[in-house]
Amino acid sequence: MISSINLTSAIAKNVTKTVGIKPIINSVTRLANVNNQYNNINRSFASVSINPIGINNKNNKVQANVFKSQNKAPSQFNKEPPRIPATFTLKTGQTFKGTSFGAPITESVSGEVVFTTSLVGYPESMTDPSYKGQILVFTQPLIGNYGIPAQEKDEFGLFKHFESNDIHVKAIIVCDYAKKYSHWRAVESLGEWCARHNIPAIEGVDTRAVVTILREQGSTLGEILIGDAKPAKELEDPNKRNLVAEVSVKQKQIYNKGGEFKVALIDCGAKQNIIRCLCKRGAEVHLVPWDHDFSKDNTKYNGYFISNGPGNPDYCDKTIENLRYLLIRESAKAVPTPIFGICMGNLLLASAAGFETYKLPYGNRGHNQPAINLKTNQCVITSQNHGFAIRDSNDKMVPGWEKYFVNANDGSNEGIRHKTLPFASVQYHPEAKAGPHDTEYLFDEYIETVREYTALKQQHEATQADKKISVQNPVKTNIKISVTSS
């Protein structure tokens, strides 16, 4: 029996004997030229579509010429940044040497050090508002191999490949940076993207050693020094400011206008894919600011949704107050409006209900966190990035509420729900665009709950209207009284 390798080798020899080696070399050369031309077109596109997600771009006229001339000369950004020695130091004392491949910043850069275990999805992670103020460490050794895609939007006007219109990480740390990227969607390299948006990036660091330190010693701050940059007197702690207010929209935005029902999405740092998951299931999404006052909003919403977000939930006192108002108002109704929260939304809903929150010693990070559904006993793999959790011990449970999910690793809370009312939340990300997708079904369940309670509300309103008509127009009854005389 001839193996596939031997058969391929035999065919190659026969072709060489028949046509000679020169035609084969010419064909390979022509193929290489075509490939180079294709790559040049891609990079020309990168030079004119200079800012895929619209960050710090001073040349606002560039994008207007995207399709007019794809043969423009490369811009000043369309080149790899200079390679400069750099150091990455943890507050706990450990120092790692590396090389800068992003923005050659001459000042100290510091923030909370966190990590992700995802194999793909670095554009989504870097534009996720949950990472605001954080230095993101990738445990996947090779990063950047498929480059950065261009700005594209879907039918809802949402970015296809990014989670927001900004890069939110403070910096990134990788083990091995792929200097040459290869992907049909790519228009520039990761290094170019970082440099254009003033984001430091370091390679050559043993990222798994960094994660081991974080896992053994707990969460910490870190500092990046590139070239001759001097250390800062004090490291910046992003958890000491209201990060949610920084990343939230300033006024209401509506997506999928004319959808089947209206859902108010409280933007504490909402990822684009949360909006997409709601829109593609038929919702008209009203994205409202983190401190939106629903007592002054006359819109008749069919559901409320609280997004993910960065930082310490204690700074979101206005959101908690507004949610407490919703819980009280909806609980008093004959047919309440469903409420659901994700990540920061879990912490804020819990705080509004009366739960306590606390800072985790390590935090739960990465795309492989196991969470157990206490109703079904099913374990799901989830994406997470949070440093705070709910106190859910028996003596801390709020009457009327129960645990929904629990982390299979450290036993921390992963979700709560009301025992009788349609209020629930989870600590992880069921909308994770780069995966895992084990829990995206929660959007289906939420939308079905919205649909069910909307129908019940309509029935209740119709019944109340009938009763009102009956009271206003009572049926006249002729009563005959017979009087007899004796």
Side-chain angles (χ1 to χ4, degrees):
M1 191 175 220
I2 301 176
S3 69
S4 60
I5 296 176
N6 292 335
L7 181 59
T8 303
S9 178
I11 292 173
K13 289 179 181 178
N14 288 333
V15 170
T16 304
K17 288 180 181 178
T18 304
V19 300
I21 192 69
K22 190 173 181 179
I24 295 176
I25 293 174
N26 291 338
S27 297
V28 172
T29 302
R30 283 196 298 272
L31 183 61
N33 289 336
V34 170
N35 187 54
N36 287 335
Q37 290 173 7
Y38 178 75
N39 287 334
N40 287 335
I41 290 173
N42 264 351
R43 295 185 70 79
S44 295
F45 182 81
S47 70
V48 294
S49 182
I50 194 71
N51 196 351
I53 59 173
I55 307 169
N56 300 332
N57 190 2
K58 297 178 181 179
N59 186 3
N60 294 324
K61 297 180 180 179
V62 174
Q63 291 194 27
N65 298 320
V66 169
F67 298 107
K68 290 183 180 178
S69 174
Q70 291 192 349
N71 295 317
K72 273 191 172 184
S75 74
Q76 60 177 327
F77 298 114
N78 198 21
K79 60 178 69 173
E80 283 294 323
R83 315 281 290 174
I84 305 173
T87 59
F88 172 49
T89 303
L90 299 177
K91 189 177 181 180
T92 49
Q94 299 86 349
T95 297
F96 300 84
K97 294 185 179 298
T99 303
S100 168
F101 68 90
I105 292 179
T106 57
E107 299 175 348
S108 164
V109 176
S110 59
E112 183 182 21
V113 182
V114 300
F115 65 90
T116 177
T117 59
S118 61
L119 303 183
V120 295
Y122 51 84
E124 290 89 344
S125 293
M126 292 173 65
T127 54
D128 179 355
S130 295
Y131 287 109
K132 180 71 175 179
Q134 296 179 328
I135 297 174
L136 182 58
V137 179
F138 290 90
T139 60
Q140 164 69 1
L142 183 63
I143 296 294
N145 53 307
Y146 59 87
I148 297 296
Q151 180 184 17
E152 291 181 72
K153 291 188 176 181
D154 61 15
E155 67 272 28
F156 305 115
L158 301 166
F159 291 113
K160 286 185 176 181
H161 313 297
F162 306 102
E163 288 293 5
S164 71
N165 62 349
D166 204 348
I167 294 181
H168 290 285
V169 295
K170 199 71 178 290
I172 61 170
I173 307 293
V174 307
C175 178
D176 187 11
Y177 166 58
K179 303 172 187 64
K180 293 184 178 180
Y181 61 86
S182 178
H183 195 279
W184 68 275
R185 290 187 186 276
V187 296
E188 63 180 332
S189 71
L190 175 59
E192 292 167 341
W193 191 49
C194 288
R196 288 195 300 100
H197 303 312
N198 215 32
I199 301 298
I202 298 179
E203 72 158 330
V205 174
D206 186 348
T207 56
R208 298 190 180 189
V210 174
V211 174
T212 300
I213 293 170
L214 296 177
R215 274 298 182 196
E216 292 179 352
Q217 298 185 14
S219 299
T220 188
L221 303 178
E223 181 181 40
I224 291 175
L225 299 175
I226 299 174
D228 298 326
K230 304 299 181 183
K233 292 181 180 179
E234 185 178 357
L235 300 186
E236 181 181 349
D237 186 352
N239 292 310
K240 291 184 178 180
R241 65 180 201 262
N242 189 347
L243 297 175
V244 166
E246 294 179 24
V247 300
S248 178
V249 294
K250 306 308 177 188
Q251 57 187 10
K252 181 189 289 190
Q253 299 175 4
I254 299 177
Y255 295 87
N256 195 31
K257 194 170 181 62
E260 182 183 351
F261 32 72
K262 293 180 174 68
V263 172
L265 173 57
I266 303 173
D267 182 17
C268 300
K271 295 161 71 173
Q272 297 258 297
N273 205 38
I274 293 178
I275 306 174
R276 182 181 294 106
C277 285
L278 293 170
C279 286
K280 72 180 185 180
R281 288 167 173 81
E284 176 182 297
V285 178
H286 291 230
L287 187 68
V288 300
W290 70 283
D291 57 353
H292 186 74
D293 187 351
F294 287 100
S295 67
K296 299 177 181 178
D297 189 343
N298 295 323
T299 307
K300 292 185 178 181
Y301 296 111
N302 305 97
Y304 297 97
F305 206 103
I306 317 151
S307 82
N308 62 293
N312 188 338
D314 291 344
Y315 286 100
C316 302
D317 52 338
K318 291 182 180 179
T319 314
I320 294 170
E321 182 182 340
N322 292 330
L323 285 172
R324 187 175 294 120
Y325 163 79
L326 282 181
L327 289 175
I328 294 172
R329 187 186 73 180
E330 297 302 323
S331 297
K333 290 182 178 180
V335 182
T337 304
I339 302 175
F340 193 80
I342 285 176
C343 192
M344 176 62 80
N346 184 52
L347 300 172
L348 298 181
L349 182 65
S351 296
F355 285 89
E356 296 177 9
T357 61
Y358 68 100
K359 184 84 165 69
L360 290 164
Y362 304 101
N364 286 324
R365 324 282 182 185
H367 284 218
N368 56 353
Q369 286 286 336
I372 299 174
N373 185 328
L374 297 180
K375 179 181 179 181
T376 64
N377 208 35
Q378 178 189 31
C379 185
V380 291
I381 302 301
T382 66
S383 172
Q384 300 188 21
N385 177 43
H386 63 270
F388 293 83
I390 300 169
R391 294 192 188 279
D392 64 355
S393 56
N394 292 335
D395 60 324
K396 297 293 184 181
M397 286 298 295
V398 175
W401 293 79
E402 63 184 2
K403 301 176 188 178
Y404 192 3
F405 283 85
V406 64
N407 190 287
N409 287 334
D410 63 7
S412 62
N413 180 271
E414 293 286 359
I416 57 171
R417 63 181 178 181
H418 198 276
K419 293 180 179 180
T420 59
L421 300 173
F423 309 149
S425 56
V426 294
Q427 190 62 56
Y428 51 82
H429 292 272
E431 84 295 341
K433 193 160 189 298
H437 301 138
D438 292 31
T439 55
E440 192 175 327
Y441 72 87
L442 290 174
F443 283 96
D444 297 323
E445 290 187 354
Y446 172 71
I447 292 299
E448 279 305 310
T449 302
V450 168
R451 189 173 282 116
E452 176 187 349
Y453 275 80
T454 298
L456 289 173
K457 191 174 295 185
Q458 290 171 349
Q459 292 174 12
H460 177 73
E461 289 173 353
T463 302
Q464 292 301 106
D466 290 342
K467 288 182 179 180
K468 188 175 182 180
I469 292 173
S470 298
V471 171
Q472 290 175 347
N473 301 292
V475 178
K476 294 181 179 179
T477 305
N478 295 322
I479 303 176
K480 294 182 180 181
I481 302 175
S482 59
V483 180
T484 58
S485 57
S486 54

